[in-house]
Amino acid sequence: MDDIKPKKKLVQDIVPAHRSIRNVGIPSRRERITPDSSAVAFSDIKPKKVSPLGRSVGIKIEKEEIKIPPKSNKVEVEKYAFEYEDRPKSSKKILYGAILLFVIALVFGISALFKSAIVGVTPKNEIVTFDEKFTAKKDNNNGGLAFQTVVLSKDMEKTVSATSEQKVSRKATGQIMVYNNYSVEPQKLLINTRFQTLEGLIFKSVGAINIPGKTAIAGSVLVDVYADAPGDKYNVGLKDFTIPGFKSDPRFSKIYARSKTPMSGGFEGMQKVVEGGVLKATEAELEAKVKEYLSREILSQIPANFVLYTGSISYVYSAITQATEPGAENSAVLRKKGTAIAIIFDKGSLSRAIISKALASMTVDMVKISNLESFEFSYPTDSTFESNTSNTLDFTLKGDAKFEWIFDENKLKSDLLGLSDDKARIVISNYKSIKESWIKIQPIWNKIIPNDPNKVKLVNTLSQ
């Protein structure tokens, strides 16, 4: 028994590290794994135990046998199912939406620069047929109906053949401006009033004269005159004139005249003359041309606040004259002079007079006459009006008067600035002179009238 020795315990100081299958790295998802036939799997490696004396104590490691399947020519590849988190893609709808919003904002921004509004209004109106007589006073400053006269003259001439010779006796003619520096009251002078040059030549007025009274300056009137006797000695240039009839009168130095045109046409002696038929035809031709010119020119000279009726224009023609030019004895120059006298009325004064008769319930502050120039003017059959002397004018007007109610256009436009379409219509309805209205605002999606008055246009439909 003594010989029997107990079995020695083998202490293995160094235990080789064995890899366990748990320590085998897991291939990544993208790698393909091919089994290795020589791989050996081990059980878990237990940690070393340390004795109290500090020495290592051997630990028995049991091997686990791993069965490896026989090799096969066919390689089996383990398949993996991979799940990916998709990267978000940009949405085209979002992009297109952003572009659309930008375009809309741009359009609205640009359209804001072109905001505008047109407001059309139709005032109340009425047509009244009337035929009334009126009386006006010349230069009436008392607020009643007043009238003024406009005088315009024109000479026309034509050269024609002179085929016969006869003794001719003609008086020189011309125009002078007569002044009243004597009184604020008009001064009346009779027909054929004499005017004398410093050389003693006498000229007479063609018609009666009514010289306006002086104001800050002397009153004046244009007068046609003719020489006292025939002959070329009266063919004189511009001269100053006195009135011999006032020689011993205080008016002598205060009422005087000055030439407006040279005096011409005076002749006495044998002269080539125009045959009667040619003379008559040429006179009619010149008269027609003078009238056409005067009617056109006098209308163009009427102030904007006055009205002129063509029926109030009267024409006066002087006798035709003929004269020969030096070196052209076989021809004659025929001259015809015409004067147009027109009566004009202040529009405000005449409107008040018509409204008081045709629409008595209204005042000029409430209504106006939009066709004041269209009425027919005529003198009564018993009229004795003389343009140079009469201070009172009786006349008749008839026609269809178009009365239009008045409203303050500037105030209305100011009241509408910055208002919506609905509120603007309420404001317009408060103007009792307006019958109807419409509003057009641009761009079409805008419903607010601009605040800038330059972008708002007010249209009176009756004025179009």
Side-chain angles (χ1 to χ4, degrees):
M1 300 270 307
D2 295 335
D3 293 335
I4 298 173
K5 296 182 181 178
K7 292 182 180 180
K8 293 184 180 179
K9 293 182 180 182
L10 297 176
V11 178
Q12 187 176 353
D13 294 331
I14 298 174
V15 179
H18 294 283
R19 298 181 62 189
S20 165
I21 193 170
R22 295 181 180 178
N23 296 327
V24 177
I26 300 174
S28 66
R29 294 179 178 179
R30 298 182 183 272
E31 293 176 351
R32 294 184 178 182
I33 303 174
T34 303
D36 187 353
S37 59
S38 61
V40 178
F42 297 92
S43 60
D44 293 339
I45 300 176
K46 296 182 180 180
K48 295 180 181 180
K49 290 185 179 181
V50 181
S51 68
L53 298 178
R55 290 184 299 178
S56 297
V57 178
I59 299 174
K60 183 179 179 180
I61 298 175
E62 296 179 355
K63 292 183 180 180
E64 264 184 27
E65 185 178 350
I66 299 174
K67 294 182 179 180
I68 299 174
K71 285 186 178 182
S72 172
N73 294 331
K74 186 176 180 180
V75 178
E76 293 184 4
V77 179
E78 185 175 359
K79 296 181 180 180
Y80 295 89
F82 299 97
E83 293 182 0
Y84 295 94
E85 185 177 351
D86 292 340
R87 185 177 181 181
K89 298 179 180 179
S90 299
S91 173
K92 290 185 178 180
K93 291 184 178 180
I94 295 176
L95 177 61
Y96 292 155
I99 293 174
L100 180 60
L101 290 176
F102 174 77
V103 171
I104 293 174
L106 182 63
V107 170
F108 271 87
I110 294 176
S111 64
L113 300 175
F114 298 98
K115 284 184 178 179
S116 64
I118 301 176
V119 181
V121 293
T122 303
K124 292 181 180 179
N125 55 90
E126 183 178 349
I127 297 178
V128 177
T129 300
F130 74 102
D131 185 351
E132 298 287 348
K133 292 181 179 180
F134 300 87
T135 298
K137 292 185 177 181
K138 192 171 187 179
D139 302 318
N140 189 352
N141 297 320
N142 298 324
L145 180 56
F147 77 93
Q148 296 180 23
T149 57
V150 178
V151 180
L152 186 64
S153 298
K154 180 64 177 178
D155 284 304
M156 291 283 185
E157 64 180 39
K158 184 178 182 179
T159 302
V160 298
S161 296
T163 57
S164 61
E165 187 177 42
Q166 68 182 36
K167 187 176 181 179
V168 176
S169 179
R170 287 198 307 269
K171 295 178 180 180
T173 59
Q175 288 183 316
I176 61 175
M177 188 70 74
V178 183
Y179 295 91
N180 173 17
N181 202 27
Y182 172 74
S183 171
V184 295
E185 297 296 329
Q187 297 296 304
K188 296 182 179 181
L189 303 177
L190 300 175
I191 188 173
N192 293 326
T193 296
R194 296 183 302 156
F195 295 87
Q196 186 177 38
T197 67
L198 297 178
E199 295 82 9
L201 297 176
I202 298 294
F203 292 83
K204 296 179 181 180
S205 63
V206 173
I209 304 170
N210 184 28
I211 317 171
K214 71 173 184 177
T215 53
I217 58 175
S220 61
V221 64
L222 188 65
V223 176
D224 291 321
V225 295
Y226 61 94
D228 187 43
D232 56 7
K233 73 174 182 178
Y234 288 89
N235 297 333
V236 295
L238 302 180
K239 297 289 183 177
D240 289 335
F241 298 85
T242 58
I243 300 176
F246 290 160
K247 189 71 174 180
S248 58
D249 193 297
R251 293 176 291 179
F252 181 76
S253 60
K254 298 294 184 180
I255 298 178
Y256 53 91
R258 289 173 179 164
S259 295
K260 182 69 174 179
T261 65
M263 303 298 164
S264 62
F267 181 81
E268 189 171 28
M270 296 300 293
Q271 187 182 53
K272 290 280 187 177
V273 294
V274 180
E275 190 269 333
V278 175
L279 179 65
K280 185 176 181 180
T282 303
E283 183 175 14
E285 178 186 349
L286 292 177
E287 185 174 308
K289 289 183 176 180
V290 168
K291 183 176 182 179
E292 180 185 359
Y293 173 86
L294 290 174
S295 61
R296 182 177 64 251
E297 288 299 310
I298 206 164
L299 287 172
S300 68
Q301 295 184 20
I302 305 305
N305 59 325
F306 281 81
V307 59
L308 165 65
Y309 297 105
T310 55
S312 74
I313 304 176
S314 59
Y315 299 91
V316 178
Y317 303 97
S318 63
I320 192 169
T321 63
Q322 55 181 311
T324 57
E325 298 291 340
E329 287 77 10
N330 293 327
S331 62
V333 178
L334 301 181
R335 291 187 178 91
K336 184 75 173 180
K337 179 182 179 181
T339 301
I341 304 167
I343 299 171
I344 61 175
F345 302 92
D346 176 76
K347 288 183 177 180
S349 175
L350 184 59
S351 294
R352 285 191 292 270
I354 295 174
I355 291 171
S356 65
K357 287 179 176 289
L359 205 65
S361 61
M362 298 296 173
T363 66
V364 73
D365 297 327
M366 299 171 62
V367 295
K368 67 178 181 179
I369 304 173
S370 60
N371 63 331
L372 194 61
E373 295 85 357
S374 67
F375 305 140
E376 181 183 338
F377 176 97
S378 61
Y379 294 106
T381 54
D382 57 348
S383 175
T384 57
F385 176 75
E386 292 289 341
S387 60
N388 287 334
T389 58
S390 298
N391 289 321
T392 301
L393 170 66
D394 295 320
F395 65 97
T396 299
L397 281 180
K398 65 179 180 178
D400 294 329
K402 295 181 180 179
F403 293 99
E404 179 182 324
W405 270 246
I406 298 173
F407 65 95
D408 190 335
E409 295 187 8
N410 291 328
K411 183 177 185 303
L412 175 59
K413 183 176 179 179
S414 176
D415 290 345
L416 297 179
L417 298 180
L419 297 183
S420 65
D421 185 294
D422 294 338
K423 290 184 178 179
R425 294 181 188 278
I426 295 174
V427 170
I428 295 174
S429 67
N430 292 327
Y431 282 75
K432 304 305 180 183
S433 297
I434 296 177
K435 180 180 179 181
E436 57 187 15
S437 65
W438 52 265
I439 301 174
K440 182 179 180 181
I441 305 175
Q442 294 290 348
I444 57 175
W445 55 78
N446 180 37
K447 298 298 181 182
I448 304 297
I449 297 176
N451 281 307
D452 186 354
N454 296 321
K455 295 184 178 182
V456 180
K457 183 179 180 181
L458 189 65
V459 178
N460 186 333
T461 59
L462 296 182
S463 300
Q464 294 183 329

